Amino acid sequence: MASLAFSATSTNILPLYAAVSDRPVLFRGGSIFGKSIFSKKHNSKGLMVTNVATELPPTIPPPKKEISDDRKLAAWTSIRQERWEGELVVEGEIPLWLKGTYLRNGPGMWHIGDYNFRHLFDGYATLVGLHFENGRLKMAHRQIESEAYKAAKKNNKLCYREFSEAPKTDNFLSYIGDLANLFSGASLTDNANTGVVKLADGRVVCLTETIKGSIVIDPDTLDTLGKFEYSDTLGGLIHSAHPIVTNTEFLTLLPDLLNPGYMVVRMEPGTNERKVIGRVNCRGGPAPGWVHSFPVTEHYVIVPEMPLRYCAQNLLKAEPTPLYKFEWHPDSKGFVHVMCKASGKIVASVEVPLFVTFHFINAYEERDEEGRLTAIIADCCEHHADTTILDKLRLQNLRSSTGQDVLPDARVGRFTIPMDGSPYGKLEAALDPNEHGRGMDMCSINPNNLGKKYRYAFACGAQRPCNFPNTLTKVDFKEKRAKNWFDEGSVPSEPLFVQRPGATAEDDGVVISMISDKNGEGYALVLDGSTFEEIARAKFPYGLPYGLHGCWIPKN
């Protein structure tokens, strides 16, 4: 389906950078998927590659205060230019069956003018595409043209409220106006820098936690097509950054900040209309808990109520607090609710130990020998109810690689929600956290196992000491073991699993990740899903910033 068929339209001879070299080359234009005008050669594995590149727009200059000594690791530096595209040299063997495009979204530009953003989540969105076909790999990246990004470029300053940043007001009247815009949602960012999903009808949408930050992109060119406008009257300002998207439905949660609770909504393929399945009222706290993600089973939606709750007072502050727009309310306790997809009825609502999680991994229904539902199992990347993980994601902390072990511990937290009417559920480690270095986040699974009992998860773990997850990890829930891939000095992004066509084994496929390497470099990595051994890599023309979440678009 997707082909990343970008073209250079300039008729002037322009300097370019080949994907395999730092040396400039000259090019008059053309399509990287059209007839090749570059010489071809074979690498050490016998794979034919083409040295291709397209025109580069002006490089975005870094701010004067940009980290002068941290070009060794590109993960936490702004993208060097707005766009690039070309074919990469492959070392190793990419399976011939791997045909499609891996899209990855994430914050990629952390400055505007001379001003440096402070938090990982603040950066303007950079979309990266890796197109696999016939054992070859083409790469491209683009800035997502959100209103927030375009306004910042035009005015050379921050114009919308990002995760931890707010535009500076000149006087009291402008401050009052900013507050009014905040309550109406006008000043909230549409910087869709968190995830990217392919809807069942083929549309590809980039997302963040503001509802206005839903942006449709072209998966072939990575161009921004426009806003994804919801046609219903549900309103609201925020939603879960991670909806559940399948071939038949789109499910998400809408937190209600005024009457604390969550609406569970569904959107049918081919429509922009969300319909309410049901509502969950909060059992504790002054506001709903943060719902960055949530899991589902075959028949139920699992709604977490975390003690890390939205806080309007913190949102109004000009300078960020350690918990940003949230507040920790341990006295409010933690809860998990189970809603029937078909009826919208709440079939279980249990108190659980305090927890902090960004990302749920999967959930499934546990039944006895007679098929009766006994429990819901829900797995997540859980930070031992430690809220400091939020502040550890300040860019200053990530850029300060001192060799000390400062990454907060994390585990695969397994919730057991009894379905016998019990008021309490369990939360415990699904396996020894030392198996994955007591680091766990950015998980993916075989999508065929969504909502079903599963064996494997692919995530980012830790080899300590570190200040950020630095390994790729395959978790085996049956054996309660983990395999870890590690490249010293590098930062891998979320691993994405792609199953081999016709496979029956859950881990028969490949795992794709993008690596920010040392010395300002980076590369695409392909691991065998079963052995978790490297089978191919392809060097980028320069290191890319760290990315968050992605999706796979198969080529038909």
Side-chain angles (χ1 to χ4, degrees):
M1 174 184 167
S3 61
L4 292 182
F6 313 109
S7 62
T9 57
S10 173
T11 58
N12 298 319
I13 296 178
L14 296 167
L16 298 135
Y17 293 92
V20 295
S21 173
D22 291 330
R23 294 179 291 115
V25 298
L26 298 177
F27 181 39
R28 282 188 180 272
S31 170
I32 67 172
F33 279 84
K35 183 178 179 181
S36 174
I37 60 174
F38 294 91
S39 61
K40 297 179 179 179
K41 64 181 181 179
H42 291 77
N43 68 4
S44 60
K45 296 290 185 179
L47 292 176
M48 184 174 288
V49 297
T50 309
N51 301 342
V52 286
T54 55
E55 67 176 86
L56 302 180
T59 298
I60 301 171
K64 295 176 182 179
K65 299 178 183 179
E66 181 94 21
I67 318 84
S68 59
D69 60 347
D70 199 45
R71 284 289 177 187
K72 292 182 180 180
L73 187 61
W76 318 121
T77 59
S78 292
I79 192 76
R80 296 191 181 187
Q81 57 209 39
E82 288 186 333
R83 56 179 58 197
W84 187 90
E85 58 199 41
E87 183 164 352
L88 308 182
V89 172
V90 175
E91 300 177 15
E93 300 279 350
I94 294 176
L96 294 178
W97 60 259
L98 187 62
K99 297 180 181 180
T101 301
Y102 171 42
L103 296 177
R104 190 196 74 177
N105 190 11
M109 196 176 82
W110 286 295
H111 73 273
I112 187 67
D114 290 340
Y115 184 73
N116 279 298
F117 293 164
R118 288 171 282 195
H119 199 277
L120 168 65
F121 297 161
D122 285 325
Y124 293 117
T126 299
L127 191 64
V128 183
L130 298 178
H131 181 74
F132 297 84
E133 191 167 10
N134 299 323
R136 299 169 68 173
L137 176 57
K138 298 177 175 69
M139 187 271 275
H141 70 73
R142 297 276 194 276
Q143 292 302 112
I144 295 176
E145 297 280 336
S146 64
E147 293 302 320
Y149 175 68
K150 291 187 293 184
K153 278 181 51 180
K154 178 181 178 180
N155 298 287
N156 204 33
K157 66 178 182 179
L158 185 73
C159 298
Y160 289 84
R161 286 177 173 265
E162 302 297 334
F163 177 80
S164 74
E165 303 282 349
K168 303 301 180 185
T169 53
D170 298 326
N171 51 53
F172 181 73
L173 287 178
S174 61
Y175 171 71
I176 296 300
D178 178 64
L179 292 184
N181 288 333
L182 173 61
F183 288 120
S184 70
S187 67
L188 294 179
T189 187
D190 67 339
N191 176 24
N193 68 358
T194 304
V196 53
V197 297
K198 175 182 174 291
L199 304 184
D201 57 29
R203 290 178 293 177
V204 178
V205 183
C206 294
L207 298 162
T208 188
E209 291 191 342
T210 62
I211 291 176
K212 66 189 291 188
S214 302
I215 296 178
V216 183
I217 61 99
D218 185 329
D220 294 336
T221 65
L222 305 190
D223 288 338
T224 300
L225 300 181
K227 292 289 183 69
F228 187 95
E229 300 283 359
Y230 296 96
S231 60
D232 53 70
T233 58
L234 295 180
L237 300 178
I238 55 177
H239 58 180
S240 172
H242 295 282
I244 302 294
V245 182
T246 70
N247 290 330
T248 59
E249 63 187 1
F250 174 106
L251 300 170
T252 194
L253 301 183
L254 306 181
D256 185 344
L257 303 182
L258 298 178
N259 183 22
Y262 315 88
M263 281 194 295
V264 181
V265 301
R266 174 191 287 117
M267 187 170 66
E268 300 296 331
T271 75
N272 289 40
E273 182 181 5
R274 300 163 299 178
K275 296 181 179 179
V276 177
I277 298 175
R279 177 187 165 89
V280 176
N281 292 320
C282 288
R283 284 182 53 181
W290 187 20
V291 284
H292 185 71
S293 68
F294 64 99
V296 299
T297 69
E298 292 184 88
H299 302 99
Y300 302 99
V301 178
I302 316 305
V303 181
E305 186 181 339
M306 187 162 57
L308 186 63
R309 298 179 183 269
Y310 293 97
C311 177
Q313 288 180 327
N314 284 351
L315 188 62
L316 294 174
K317 293 179 179 177
E319 291 298 316
T321 71
L323 291 182
Y324 303 92
K325 55 188 176 185
F326 310 109
E327 198 169 45
W328 182 241
H329 285 273
D331 293 341
S332 298
K333 304 178 182 178
F335 303 93
V336 176
H337 313 277
V338 180
M339 177 181 291
C340 176
K341 288 183 184 178
S343 68
K345 293 181 179 179
I346 300 171
V347 297
S349 184
V350 299
E351 181 184 336
V352 294
L354 301 180
F355 65 100
V356 169
T357 181
F358 298 161
H359 299 116
F360 278 85
I361 305 169
N362 196 22
Y364 59 89
E365 299 162 19
E366 213 167 51
R367 298 181 180 273
D368 61 20
E369 295 179 354
E370 297 181 0
R372 291 173 298 196
L373 181 65
T374 59
I376 299 290
I377 305 298
D379 293 337
C380 70
C381 305
E382 203 278 315
H383 297 279
H384 296 278
D386 182 359
T387 61
T388 61
I389 182 61
L390 266 177
D391 214 41
K392 294 297 183 183
L393 297 180
R394 285 180 183 256
L395 289 167
Q396 179 181 0
N397 297 332
L398 298 177
R399 291 165 174 163
S400 302
S401 183
T402 62
Q404 297 179 340
D405 193 28
V406 295
L407 177 69
D409 283 3
R411 60 180 175 174
V412 179
R414 171 158 288 183
F415 291 97
T416 301
I417 307 162
M419 301 300 290
D420 60 0
S422 171
Y424 299 103
K426 296 180 181 179
L427 172 60
E428 52 199 354
L431 74 163
D432 184 349
N434 289 308
E435 284 287 319
H436 46 78
R438 306 188 319 281
M440 178 58 46
D441 215 336
M442 314 303 285
C443 281
S444 74
I445 63 169
N446 184 325
N448 291 324
N449 289 82
L450 176 68
K452 303 175 184 177
K453 193 165 187 176
Y454 69 122
R455 178 172 177 176
Y456 300 109
F458 305 91
C460 291
Q463 180 153 317
R464 294 177 182 271
C466 60
N467 65 346
F468 195 79
N470 58 0
T471 72
L472 295 173
T473 297
K474 176 185 178 182
V475 174
D476 184 335
F477 290 110
K478 181 179 179 181
E479 299 293 334
K480 297 192 179 298
R481 300 294 303 273
K483 293 181 180 179
N484 299 288
W485 175 95
F486 175 69
D487 182 2
E488 187 174 359
S490 299
V491 175
S493 65
E494 177 185 63
L496 181 129
F497 177 81
V498 181
Q499 189 172 39
R500 181 181 62 82
T504 56
E506 185 180 335
D507 60 348
D508 185 356
V510 298
V511 174
I512 304 169
S513 180
M514 299 186 199
I515 313 298
S516 294
D517 201 357
K518 39 196 173 289
N519 301 318
E521 299 175 346
Y523 56 92
L525 177 72
V526 182
L527 303 178
D528 181 283
S530 177
T531 65
F532 217 57
E533 297 293 332
E534 178 179 333
I535 58 176
R537 69 168 64 188
K539 184 179 177 181
F540 297 144
Y542 42 77
L544 299 177
Y546 181 78
L548 295 176
H549 304 285
C551 71
W552 175 252
I553 301 179
K555 181 178 176 65
N556 297 327

